[in-house]
Amino acid sequence: FNNPAVAVTAVVLAFGYFVIESWHENKRELHLISTKKESLAQVLAAKERMQKEQIKGEIELSKLKLENDRNKREAEKKQYQRQLEFSTSVVKARRLHVPRSWQLFR
């Protein structure tokens, strides 16, 4: 470059090009970062929702287990009551058929 004005202009243009390119690159990186932040936020929100659903499911399962246990206990209680009533009726029936003399020795 023989002319200093041309050399200065070339340097200024090169510097301007470098500044504009780095600005565009920074803008692209910021866009990628914001996109990653958004996707990360979405992933975290989805994970939180899944955890809440899992906890709800576990609570529902424990409720069902408790209800099942309660129903089993009630069924066992009814079965015991039926057995007791049957035994009592058998004993009463036997007492009716036992001779009077045998009842005195009991």
Side-chain angles (χ1 to χ4, degrees), residues 1-87:
F1 298 110
N2 293 338
N3 191 345
V6 172
V8 169
T9 304
V11 169
V12 168
L13 287 176
F15 181 72
Y17 177 77
F18 172 75
V19 169
I20 290 172
E21 276 301 309
S22 64
W23 179 77
H24 278 294
E25 183 64 29
N26 288 341
K27 189 175 176 183
R28 280 191 291 271
E29 286 180 12
L30 286 175
H31 178 69
L32 287 175
I33 289 171
S34 66
T35 305
K36 286 180 182 178
K37 280 183 181 179
E38 288 172 3
S39 63
L40 181 61
Q42 290 172 349
V43 167
L44 290 175
K47 183 178 179 182
E48 188 175 333
R49 280 193 307 272
M50 286 173 45
Q51 287 175 338
K52 285 180 181 179
E53 288 298 320
Q54 181 181 4
I55 290 170
K56 285 180 184 178
E58 289 172 357
I59 289 172
E60 190 64 30
L61 180 64
S62 60
K63 284 181 183 178
L64 290 174
K65 285 181 180 178
L66 286 173
E67 185 178 348
N68 188 29
D69 291 345
R70 188 178 326 116
N71 290 341
K72 281 183 182 178
R73 283 193 305 273
E74 287 178 14
E76 289 172 355
K77 186 178 176 182
K78 287 179 182 178
Q79 179 66 23
Y80 177 75
Q81 283 294 107
R82 283 194 292 267
Q83 288 174 349
L84 186 62
E85 289 171 5
F86 177 75
S87 301

